[in-house]
Each structure stands twice: as C-alpha cells, then as structure tokens.
C-alpha cells in the first residue's frame, strides 16, 4: 500500500501542543495527532516537520504533543486522552514506555482512532494498528558487524560499554542493543531485554536518556568499571557525542570505537570528523509522511497499512554510514549520508 522513498541500504499534562489546519487536498474533516518523546531531539523535530508538511499537503488538521524529556510516559498518556476527546481520526506515536502505554492506546483504538507507532514498536507490537519504523535490530546489527570488522582478530578481546535510553527498556533501545551484540558476534540472552548476556567482553550497560549529558555521565560510569573500554555502543548520536567528551577528558578519544544509530546531520558530521566511527541512518520524514497518508486512507475508506514482506512492521529503511568501510558490511560514506540527513 505504501512505498518507502529509501532503500534498505541507502509544563503541565501536555508539555507541548500545537495545532494547525490546511485544506489543499480536501480532507478538512480528517484530524490527526503526533505524539513524540520530546520536542528537542533533532530526530523528533524532523518527524514533526514531516508530519506538519504532510498535513498541510493533505488538508488535515494536526495537533502535536511531546514529552518534557525522554521517558515522560505520563505526558504521552495525557496527550492520547486529549486526542480521543478531540475526536481525532488517528494518532502517530513514538512511545517512551512501550508496554505501559498500551492501555491508553487500547482506549484510543476502542474509540475508533487509528494508532500507528513510529520508530518505536509497542510491546506487544500489535497493540498498535501498524508500525512504521527503521528495522532497528538490523540497524544495530550493521554497526555491530562494522565494529567487529574494524577490530578484526582483536574483537575476541574487546571491552564493550553500552549506553541505552533508560531502565524501562523501550523496544527501540532493546532492538538496537541486541542487534549490535549479535552483529558483533555475542550470543544473546533474552532477546527482548538487554543486560543478561554473560559474554566477558561486555563491561556493562548504562543509560543516557538519549541525550548528550546522559551519554557523558553514563560513559563516565562505564569507565569507572573499566577504563580500558575500547568499543562503545550508543542508542543515538547525542549520547555518542557525550560519550566522546567523557573519553576525551581522559585522553582516550582516539583509541575507542564509538558506534550509534540515527543519521541526523550533526551525527553524520561527527562520522566525517572521526567522533563516531559508524552510524546507522534512519528516515523520520518518511515515517511521518507515511503515517499521515495512512490516517487519511483509514478515515476515507477504512483501509489499513500493510507490513513489509516477512516483517511485522513497515520498514522505512536504514543505511550504515562510515568512512572506513568493512568488507561484507554494506555502507555509504559520510558525504553521501549528509545528502540524506536531517536536523
């Protein structure tokens, strides 16, 4: 039903709320909500821009909401309640707590709203009507395989620190973390949770809240466990930038591989400058545009979006970006990544 434009290679209850209407395409009776984790992370800023542009093109009234911080579950629940009360046709949601949010999502669906998860699958995934997302496990696997390839034989003795989002373990973080470990060649424990693997190469896990400051403090905690960590996985590029600063403070910024996921312009620039060794780029504009199209289709004729073949979600694409390619791991350069980046 939908076609991605990227290939698989290539303070109160509502922290932020805005609305606008356009009528160019004659769908003025259709309304939608976009609920993101924050309104500061460049990924979600770009997602909001994409949803706003699509709403204007389609003539859909759009309300946008965001948590005050990554992990602000209560604000997202309040936003869903507002969308139900407003009579919205559908909700596009990037959930902070992917399991706890499901009861609010169920209420929205029972009220007749189409609920589409963007970027972050719900737990369980079928709690939403559909999911438009990067294959986050594959994104993690690519950066893990790249890191192992860079180290070569030394990968057998690696010392790995992992910086996730938060202790609630939202699905997007679990998928990326576990994909990275598998790509690096580490046997997984419970694939639906991070932190129970017993491979001696894993120094430890910490959390970053997906932010630069959290990445710095999380990296400092990991270095306190083992100052000779030489591989760092990060949930996103702001966390990677913070980890780099912590490493630079002890003079180790040039001998540690940092890998990440997102593909925003600042992150891709950090690849070009050697701060990040490799990142997996995803495409929030596509997620938002496809989500808006799906809400209009549902409101018009009741049709539901279809998943990508062999997956339980619609894959919006991922590309590994690095300037130090590894044989057998498909990638594009940072220069190519900058042509596709956002933020």
């Amino acid at each position: 039903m939908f076609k991605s434009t990227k290939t698989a290679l290539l303070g109160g209850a509502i922290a932020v709320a805005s609305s606008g209407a356009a009528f160019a395409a004659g769908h003025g009776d259709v309304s939608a909500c976009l609920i993101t984790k924050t309104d500061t992370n460049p990924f979600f800023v770009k997602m909001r821009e994409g949803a706003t542009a699509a709403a204007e093109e389609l003539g859909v009234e759009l309300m946008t909401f965001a948590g005050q911080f990554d992990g602000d579950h209560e604000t997202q629940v309040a936003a869903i309640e507002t969308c139900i009360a407003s009579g919205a046709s559908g909700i596009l949601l990037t959930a902070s707590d992917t399991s706890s949010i499901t009861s609010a999502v169920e209420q929205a669906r029972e009220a007749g709203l189409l609920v589409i998860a963007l970027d972050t699958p719900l737990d369980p995934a079928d709690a939403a009507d559909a999911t438009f997302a990067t294959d986050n496990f594959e994104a993690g696997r690519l950066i893990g395989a790249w890191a192992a390839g860079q180290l070569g034989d030394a990968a057998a003795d690696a010392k790995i620190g992992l910086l996730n989002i938060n202790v609630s373990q939202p699905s997007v973080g679990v998928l990326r973390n576990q994909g990275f470990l598998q790509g690096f060649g580490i046997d997984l424990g419970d694939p639906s949770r991070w932190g129970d693997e017993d491979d001696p190469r894993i120094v430890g896990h910490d959390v970053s809240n997906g932010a630069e400051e959290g990445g710095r403090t999380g990296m400092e905690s990991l270095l306190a466990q083992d100052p000779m960590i030489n591989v760092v996985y990060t949930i996103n590029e702001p966390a990677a930038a913070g980890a780099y600063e912590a490493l630079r403070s002890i003079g180790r910024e040039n001998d540690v591989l940092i890998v990440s996921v997102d593909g925003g312009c600042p992150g891709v620039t950090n690849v070009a400058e050697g701060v990040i060794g490799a990142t997996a780029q995803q495409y929030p504009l596509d997620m938002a545009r496809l989500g808006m199209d799906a809400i209009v289709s549902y409101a018009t004729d009741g049709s539901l979006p279809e998943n990508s073949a062999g997956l339980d979600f619609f894959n919006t694409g991922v590309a590994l970006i690095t300037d130090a390619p590894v044989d057998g791991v498909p990638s594009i350069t940072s220069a190519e990544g900058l042509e596709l980046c956002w933020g």
Side-chain angles (χ1 to χ4, degrees), residues 144-219:
W146 178 87
Q150 281 292 309
L151 289 178
D153 291 343
D157 299 310
K159 295 186 176 184
I160 304 169
L162 300 106
L163 287 171
N164 282 284
I165 305 177
N166 53 51
V167 295
S168 71
Q169 299 205 21
S171 58
V172 63
V174 172
L175 289 165
R176 294 179 185 182
N177 185 97
Q178 302 300 74
F180 166 81
L181 291 177
Q182 186 173 98
F184 197 87
I186 290 174
D187 291 335
L188 302 181
D190 180 352
S192 67
R193 307 291 293 171
W194 52 255
D196 64 349
E197 289 75 24
D198 57 7
D199 193 298
R201 291 174 289 181
I202 298 176
V203 172
H205 295 72
D206 214 300
V207 296
S208 66
N209 288 320
E212 185 168 345
E213 177 62 19
R216 184 184 66 78
T217 57
M219 189 72 245

Side-chain angles (χ1 to χ4, degrees), residues 41-43 45-46 49 263-267 269 284-285 338 340-343:
N41 185 309
F43 182 86
V45 171
K46 186 55 63 175
E49 290 176 4
C265 295
T269 298
L285 282 173
L338 284 169
L340 301 169
C341 70
W342 37 265

Side-chain angles (χ1 to χ4, degrees), residues 93-162:
L93 171 67
T94 62
S96 287
D97 189 323
T98 50
S99 57
S100 297
I101 199 75
T102 56
S103 59
V105 168
E106 182 180 5
Q107 292 175 20
R109 295 177 69 185
E110 289 177 347
L113 282 73
L114 180 75
V115 180
I116 295 179
L118 299 185
D119 175 57
T120 303
L122 300 188
D123 183 12
D126 62 5
D129 290 292
T131 301
F132 292 151
T134 303
D135 187 336
N136 282 292
F137 190 90
E138 175 65 6
R141 190 197 66 80
L142 286 169
I143 57 176
W146 178 87
Q150 281 292 309
L151 289 178
D153 291 343
D157 299 310
K159 295 186 176 184
I160 304 169
L162 300 106

Side-chain angles (χ1 to χ4, degrees), residues 220-255:
E220 290 171 348
S221 295
L222 290 170
L223 288 169
Q225 296 179 55
D226 190 333
M228 298 313 296
I229 287 172
N230 63 351
V231 178
V232 177
Y233 155 85
T234 63
I235 178 63
N236 64 9
E237 292 149 1
Y244 178 83
E245 290 304 316
L247 289 163
R248 188 168 69 169
S249 72
I250 61 170
R252 296 209 54 228
E253 71 274 18
N254 296 320
D255 61 349

